[in-house]
């Protein structure tokens, strides 16, 4: 198709013309030939614009990721497995009751709290799709080596779950991070655990988030990050090109890290009221709406419908909870292509409001809250078209 040819032409150049690529991606990236995976990697600053650098960069990053696996998953697992063997050397310098804050044990238990929260969240990724419960074609051999006696994340979770109460760390009382679309299965036993040597896709996502939390202790893991990593990983793990698909885990990790560097302020509660925090962005949705549709703006004001009741989730999770996964991915084509980085997201939120303006103008508080919490329009093309009109009408 002519669209695919346009993409191939831009990506065929020795140096990719970023402005041209952004413009093409903004209108949606074809899935064919792994185009989307490639474009996202460029738009998220993982791949440089000079193609000659690609293969050495990818090798370096993927080796680095293996290094992370060894240090953060395999080493602690070996230490735990060896405990029984060499009791005396361990107890001299370190033991589970060591009160010192830099004790390896202390770190291990703290990590387990984070791990349990991640585990709870990744198991319910897109329950309406079988994908995350299916085994990956490329299980992580480092971690699944049948010879290894070390403790895997899966075993850590199984052992810790028996002893632990769930750790709730949702960001704020009035915001429900997950949407009504996504009802979670009621108990862990509803998941079949795959046989040894296999890994479900959700387990790969769990590892990515765990390593991210270890490397970014300032933010660690906050509920909702699972919803950001899910669509990225899904896109890379379904790449038609097998030599890319094989490295979906490492590539997702670095693209997720780059994306989080741009949106992480939304997840940090102490920044909520600063210029870069989420409150400022939520208010910007309303000030934009006021410009574009003052009648609707006044109606929401009058009903005391605050943007944090719905826009918090829309903005923080880049709309990943409001639509089905293929539609989320289409919206992300436009968001990642936005040179101003997520200014367009504010317009998409405004478009979503104006498209249901008649219902909102008619409805009372309860009805309107229901509309906003469980958004009724599923046609994302309509929404993106409307957002583009709002952008052009400045």
């Amino acid at each position: 198709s002519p669209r695919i040819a346009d993409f191939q032409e831009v990506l065929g150049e020795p140096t990719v013309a970023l402005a041209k690529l952004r413009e093409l991606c903004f209108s949606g990236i074809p899935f064919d030939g792994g185009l989307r995976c490639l474009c996202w990697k460029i738009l998220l600053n993982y791949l440089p614009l000079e193609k000659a650098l690609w293969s050495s960069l990818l090798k370096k990053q993927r080796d680095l990721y293996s290094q992370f696996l060894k240090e953060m998953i395999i080493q602690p697992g070996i230490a735990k497995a060896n405990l029984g063997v060499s009791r005396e050397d361990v107890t001299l310098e370190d033991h589970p009751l060591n009160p010192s804050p830099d004790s390896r044990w202390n770190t291990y238990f703290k990590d387990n709290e984070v791990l349990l929260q991640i585990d709870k969240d990744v198991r319910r990724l897109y329950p309406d799709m079988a994908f995350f419960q299916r085994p990956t074609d490329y299980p992580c051999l480092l971690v699944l080596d049948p010879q290894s006696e070390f403790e895997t994340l899966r075993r850590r979770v199984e052992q810790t779950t028996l002893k632990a109460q769930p750790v709730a760390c949702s960001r704020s009382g009035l915001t429900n991070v997950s949407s009504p679309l996504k009802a979670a299965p009621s108990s862990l036993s509803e998941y079949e655990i795959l046989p040894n040597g296999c890994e479900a896709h959700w387990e790969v996502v769990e590892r990515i988030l765990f390593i991210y939390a270890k490397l970014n202790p300032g933010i660690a893991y906050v509920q909702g990050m699972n919803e950001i990593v899910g669509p990225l990983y899904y896109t890379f793990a379904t790449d038609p090109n097998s030599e890319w698909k094989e490295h979906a885990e490492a590539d997702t990790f670095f693209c997720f890290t780059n994306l989080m560097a741009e949106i992480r302020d939304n997840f940090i509660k102490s920044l909520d009221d600063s210029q870069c925090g989420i409150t400022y962005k939520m208010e910007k949705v309303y000030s934009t709406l006021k410009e574009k549709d003052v009648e609707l703006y006044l109606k929401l004001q009058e009903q005391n419908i605050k943007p944090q009741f719905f826009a918090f989730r829309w903005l923080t999770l880049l709309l990943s909870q409001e639509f089905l996964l293929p539609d989320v991915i289409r919206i992300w084509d436009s968001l990642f292509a936005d040179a101003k980085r997520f200014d367009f997201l504010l317009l998409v939120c405004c478009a979503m409001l104006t498209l249901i303006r008649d219902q909102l103008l008619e409805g009372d508080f309860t009805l309107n809250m229901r509309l906003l919490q469980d958004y009724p329009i599923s046609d994302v093309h309509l929404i993106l078209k409307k957002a583009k009109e709002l952008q052009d009408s400045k």
Side-chain angles (χ1 to χ4, degrees):
S1 85
R3 264 191 71 62
I4 293 176
D6 290 343
F7 275 90
Q8 283 166 339
E9 188 185 334
V10 173
L11 295 166
E13 297 292 323
T15 301
V16 176
L18 186 59
K20 249 189 213 161
L21 185 69
R22 284 189 190 284
E23 198 181 323
L24 282 174
C25 295
F26 185 80
S27 317
I29 307 169
F31 174 74
D32 315 70
L35 282 175
R36 173 175 280 128
C37 309
L38 187 54
C39 292
W40 279 17
K41 287 174 178 129
I42 298 169
L43 295 173
L44 292 170
N45 304 319
Y46 178 46
L47 286 178
L49 299 175
E50 283 118 88
K51 282 170 65 180
L53 304 173
W54 286 2
S55 61
S56 63
L57 174 116
L58 287 169
K59 183 177 177 344
K60 193 179 108 226
Q61 297 299 89
R62 290 161 179 175
D63 289 349
L64 178 59
Y65 187 75
S66 293
Q67 207 40 54
F68 293 155
L69 286 173
K70 286 177 189 145
E71 283 169 28
M72 287 168 233
I73 291 175
I74 295 173
Q75 280 324 146
I78 289 174
K80 181 87 189 318
N82 288 345
L83 273 184
V85 192
S86 52
R87 215 45 251 206
E88 48 302 303
D89 348 337
V90 175
T91 37
L92 286 175
E93 42 106 28
D94 204 357
H95 56 84
L97 299 175
N98 182 343
S100 145
D102 51 2
S103 141
R104 287 215 314 259
W105 275 105
N106 200 353
T107 312
Y108 180 86
F109 292 131
K110 263 205 156 58
D111 289 349
N112 281 356
E113 286 184 19
V114 174
L115 180 58
L116 281 190
Q117 180 66 44
I118 293 174
D119 190 74
K120 211 170 82 199
D121 294 343
V122 292
R123 286 171 184 263
R124 15 172 207 218
L125 271 173
Y126 294 95
D128 48 339
M129 288 177 61
F131 172 80
F132 286 97
Q133 307 300 327
R134 284 204 193 110
T136 163
D137 298 337
Y138 302 101
C140 177
L141 300 177
L142 271 177
V143 172
L144 289 179
D145 173 8
Q147 299 310 304
S148 81
E149 282 302 302
F150 81 91
E151 187 192 42
T152 57
L153 287 186
R154 186 196 287 187
R155 264 181 244 156
R156 270 174 87 160
V157 168
E158 282 161 8
Q159 290 174 4
T160 320
T161 315
L162 302 173
K163 312 190 197 75
Q165 288 305 308
V167 197
C169 73
S170 160
R171 278 212 44 226
S172 78
L174 58 93
T175 331
N176 46 346
V177 178
S178 63
S179 83
L181 281 175
K182 316 250 158 107
S186 58
S187 77
L188 295 187
S189 58
E190 289 180 33
Y191 296 94
E192 46 176 328
I193 283 285
L194 297 167
N196 279 339
C198 292
E199 278 193 300
H201 287 294
W202 66 262
E203 294 185 76
V204 182
V205 176
E206 174 164 86
R207 202 162 42 234
I208 292 169
L209 286 165
F210 183 71
I211 290 179
Y212 179 82
K214 289 285 289 169
L215 287 172
N216 297 276
I219 182 171
Y221 172 74
V222 181
Q223 209 177 2
M225 288 181 185
N226 53 315
E227 306 292 350
I228 300 286
V229 83
L232 285 177
Y233 174 73
Y234 174 81
T235 300
F236 296 166
T238 53
D239 192 317
N241 180 335
S242 62
E243 46 285 22
W244 286 97
K245 183 169 158 178
E246 184 179 349
H247 296 285
E249 180 176 350
D251 292 349
T252 300
F253 172 80
F254 290 108
C255 288
F256 172 68
T257 300
N258 290 357
L259 178 55
M260 281 304 296
E262 300 186 24
I263 64 172
R264 59 181 281 170
D265 294 348
N266 296 345
F267 286 91
I268 301 176
K269 204 154 174 37
S270 59
L271 290 178
D272 278 0
D273 297 321
S274 70
Q275 277 265 283
C276 51
I278 187 75
T279 309
Y280 176 75
K281 292 179 186 132
M282 291 190 296
E283 281 161 5
K284 200 125 170 57
V285 171
Y286 266 22
S287 57
T288 312
L289 179 66
K290 186 179 179 180
E291 245 168 73
K292 306 286 183 193
D293 187 340
V294 72
E295 187 188 359
L296 179 56
Y297 165 78
L298 290 171
K299 178 74 180 181
L300 295 175
Q301 285 289 57
E302 171 203 324
Q303 291 189 348
N304 205 9
I305 293 180
K306 297 189 183 338
Q308 48 268 43
F309 297 158
F310 60 93
F312 177 88
R313 193 174 73 207
W314 293 5
L315 295 167
T316 306
L317 303 183
L318 307 180
L319 295 169
S320 62
Q321 288 269 296
E322 312 316 310
F323 303 99
L324 296 172
L325 187 58
D327 295 325
V328 171
I329 288 170
R330 169 61 193 92
I331 292 173
W332 285 15
D333 288 344
S334 297
L335 295 184
F336 295 166
D338 174 17
K340 291 211 178 67
R341 273 316 194 223
F342 310 120
D343 274 12
F344 187 66
L345 177 57
L346 299 172
L347 293 168
V348 175
C349 294
C350 268
M352 287 168 68
L353 295 170
T354 54
L355 284 169
I356 55 170
R357 76 183 302 267
D358 296 348
Q359 289 159 277
L360 290 169
L361 291 172
E362 296 274 281
D364 60 7
F365 176 86
T366 315
L367 204 68
N368 286 347
M369 279 297 292
R370 197 173 308 144
L371 283 172
L372 295 168
Q373 288 280 341
D374 195 358
Y375 188 74
I377 297 177
S378 57
D379 179 354
V380 298
H381 296 279
L382 178 69
I383 294 166
L384 290 168
K385 193 171 148 254
K386 182 73 183 163
K388 184 81 184 88
E389 284 167 19
L390 293 174
Q391 190 180 44
D392 296 340
S393 73
K394 279 197 163 156

